Amino acid sequence: MKHGLFALLLAVAACGKTTPAGATGATNDLRAHLPADAKSRAPADDKAAKHEYVVDVHGAKVKIVWLTWEDGPATYILSVHWEVATPADGVALNSTVGAMNPTNAGTPAAAIESVPVLLTWSKKGATGTEGGSVSVRISADGHADTL
């Protein structure tokens, strides 16, 4: 009886830490980094191009979603956020909001913004809590790479 109760308590504790499906953390609006002359022309989110990249975080399927906009030869990132597509039992996720300063992955004449984004995770295991992070570099041209 004691062993069964202990197993049940562990299962409930792990379930309580699972990040549910849906957006995790706030959306990072990067419009402040647009050149001054482009800010007034930037579209609303529903008019921007949407890109997604899926990563596996200890069984949780998590996607990074970013919105971009082409302004002549330049391509800019307007916003970025993380979404849990498929939760994993006991995996807690936290998108890290920090200074996101896009860099130019293109040329001076045809800028293509690029920025690294970070997701931290933790999972309670038999030997304690383990954790880490996943870093992905996204680009305004729709490409993404896990770092």
Side-chain angles (χ1 to χ4, degrees), residues 11-86:
V12 169
C15 289
K17 298 292 183 181
T18 301
T19 301
T24 179
T27 296
N28 296 297
D29 189 339
L30 301 178
R31 286 173 173 83
H33 296 283
L34 293 174
D37 63 324
K39 284 182 187 179
S40 64
R41 294 189 307 274
D45 285 353
D46 63 342
K47 303 289 187 211
K50 181 178 179 180
H51 308 279
E52 297 179 354
Y53 181 75
V54 178
V55 294
D56 183 290
V57 182
H58 288 273
K61 300 296 184 221
V62 187
K63 62 183 173 180
I64 184 166
V65 180
W66 69 105
L67 302 178
T68 62
W69 166 58
E70 288 184 33
D71 184 35
T75 309
Y76 300 108
I77 300 171
L78 299 176
S79 67
V80 59
H81 71 274
W82 290 93
E83 292 180 6
V84 177
T86 307

Side-chain angles (χ1 to χ4, degrees), residues 53-136:
Y53 181 75
V54 178
V55 294
D56 183 290
V57 182
H58 288 273
K61 300 296 184 221
V62 187
K63 62 183 173 180
I64 184 166
V65 180
W66 69 105
L67 302 178
T68 62
W69 166 58
E70 288 184 33
D71 184 35
T75 309
Y76 300 108
I77 300 171
L78 299 176
S79 67
V80 59
H81 71 274
W82 290 93
E83 292 180 6
V84 177
T86 307
D89 208 26
V91 177
L93 303 163
N94 182 36
S95 62
T96 303
V97 178
M100 298 181 90
N101 299 314
T103 57
N104 184 3
T107 66
I112 301 171
E113 282 189 338
S114 174
V115 67
V117 292
L118 184 68
L119 180 75
T120 58
W121 61 270
S122 63
K123 181 175 183 174
K124 217 173 232 193
T127 59
T129 301
E130 62 178 311
S133 62
V134 175
S135 185
V136 177

